[in-house]
Amino acid sequence: MSFTETFVKPLVLSIISLFLGSLIFVGVIENYKDDSNLKVKLLEDYFKPSRELTSSCLKRQNDLYLQYPMYSSSLRLFSEEMTHLLNNPSLNSNPDYELALKAVAETHMKSGEKLKALEKEVKKCKVEVFQSLEVLSLATGTFNEFTELSKNRAESLKSIYKTRSNERKANTSGISVTELQSMMRSIFTIDFSSKKGQQELQQKMKRMLPVIEKNSEIMSKTEMQLYKAESKFYSDVRQETSKQISNKFKDGFLTWLF
């Protein structure tokens, strides 16, 4: 056997193997780094922003269902003060009481404005959260699970909205929207020095207030149900996406070697 076959050829083969092995190891390291960066990107660009958005939206939903009873309570307070004024005619000559009554009316008006603002905010943020979770599911490869969870969510929301609609119709069956709007406008245009105006408004409120309070009860109750349905949907989607992110990297670096 020649010197070349005995020493040179094995040496060359060992050098080539070492060289190729080094390249493969470097490639594994780079792939692992790339996927580690991908994990960070998934968390920073998709998961965390989505989590923050859902948390903020749920906070608004919580504020909304709490605002409905506050709205009707402020109206009840105004009604009671109006009745107190009618039962104590001497208060008509008291400018301080008139100011107090106007302040109560203003508080109710602000409560109504806050309610409308929250309704708009919640409607908007629900859309934003859904879109955010949809993108997150696409980025993590869980879109099929997201689609299935979305169907369940849609069914839950549909059922709640149907219940709300039926209960509200039953509650307002004897009162028209025009009557209700007329009474609400009267609160802010009433001449508190006019006993006739006070009596007319009190009569309207006596008839309308139970309807408004019941409506607020219905809205608050169903809004809480919507909150729970949305919260479950958000939680389920985050669980699927976080599980997928964890599964990709749970075995660590050694999975790249074998």
Side-chain angles (χ1 to χ4, degrees):
M1 182 178 292
S2 68
F3 176 79
T4 300
E5 291 178 334
T6 305
F7 296 102
V8 177
K9 186 175 180 181
L11 178 62
V12 171
L13 290 174
S14 65
I15 291 173
I16 291 174
S17 299
L18 180 62
F19 177 72
L20 291 176
S22 297
L23 286 179
I24 292 171
F25 187 77
V26 170
V28 168
I29 291 290
E30 291 304 314
N31 282 336
Y32 181 74
K33 286 181 178 178
D34 288 344
D35 275 21
S36 294
N37 290 336
L38 173 61
K39 181 179 181 181
V40 172
K41 186 174 181 63
L42 287 173
L43 290 172
E44 294 294 335
D45 294 355
Y46 300 100
F47 190 84
K48 287 184 179 178
S50 180
R51 183 181 60 188
E52 291 170 1
L53 193 58
T54 55
S55 177
S56 175
C57 192
L58 285 173
K59 172 64 169 59
R60 289 189 181 94
Q61 287 178 259
N62 181 73
D63 291 342
L64 178 57
Y65 76 69
L66 292 175
Q67 186 63 27
Y68 283 110
M70 292 177 66
Y71 172 77
S72 59
S73 294
S74 64
L75 184 60
R76 166 63 67 178
L77 177 60
F78 177 80
S79 176
E80 290 174 352
E81 290 300 322
M82 178 65 69
T83 300
H84 182 64
L85 176 62
L86 289 170
N87 292 336
N88 298 272
S90 61
L91 292 174
N92 279 299
S93 59
N94 186 337
D96 291 337
Y97 192 79
E98 181 178 340
L99 290 174
L101 200 56
K102 285 182 177 180
V104 174
E106 185 177 347
T107 297
H108 175 66
M109 180 177 67
K110 289 181 179 179
S111 179
E113 290 173 350
K114 183 176 181 180
L115 181 60
K116 289 180 181 179
L118 281 170
E119 287 175 338
K120 289 181 180 179
E121 289 174 12
V122 167
K123 183 178 180 180
K124 180 182 178 184
C125 78
K126 281 183 179 181
V127 174
E128 292 173 343
V129 168
F130 187 88
Q131 292 173 343
S132 173
L133 292 175
E134 184 177 35
V135 171
L136 175 62
S137 70
L138 287 168
T140 55
T142 57
F143 188 71
N144 289 338
E145 290 83 353
F146 174 81
T147 301
E148 188 62 32
L149 291 171
S150 297
K151 290 179 182 178
N152 296 337
R153 167 188 180 261
E155 287 299 318
S156 295
L157 299 185
K158 181 180 178 181
S159 176
I160 296 168
Y161 280 123
K162 184 177 180 180
T163 298
R164 170 184 285 185
S165 179
N166 291 339
E167 291 185 2
R168 292 187 71 186
K169 284 180 181 178
N171 181 48
T172 59
S173 59
I175 294 178
S176 68
V177 176
T178 303
E179 285 182 281
L180 190 57
Q181 290 176 337
S182 175
M183 190 207 77
M184 298 309 296
R185 293 191 187 106
S186 298
I187 294 176
F188 311 115
T189 60
I190 182 176
D191 179 5
F192 290 104
S193 63
S194 168
K195 188 171 182 178
K196 180 180 178 182
Q198 295 170 9
Q199 290 174 333
E200 288 177 353
L201 179 57
Q202 185 194 39
Q203 290 172 359
K204 289 180 181 178
M205 292 192 70
K206 188 175 181 179
R207 180 165 175 250
M208 302 286 192
L209 187 55
V211 176
I212 295 173
E213 289 180 323
K214 181 62 178 179
N215 183 68
S216 292
E217 179 187 326
I218 293 168
M219 294 298 291
S220 181
K221 178 188 69 175
T222 53
E223 197 61 44
M224 183 185 291
Q225 292 170 351
L226 292 170
Y227 169 90
K228 290 180 179 179
E230 294 284 25
S231 181
K232 183 180 185 306
F233 171 65
Y234 300 160
S235 178
D236 289 345
V237 173
R238 286 200 307 269
Q239 184 176 353
E240 288 295 332
T241 54
S242 61
K243 182 169 62 177
Q244 183 64 16
I245 293 173
S246 296
N247 286 341
K248 285 180 180 294
F249 306 95
K250 68 179 180 180
D251 296 325
F253 175 70
L254 291 178
T255 58
W256 293 98
L257 299 180
F258 304 100

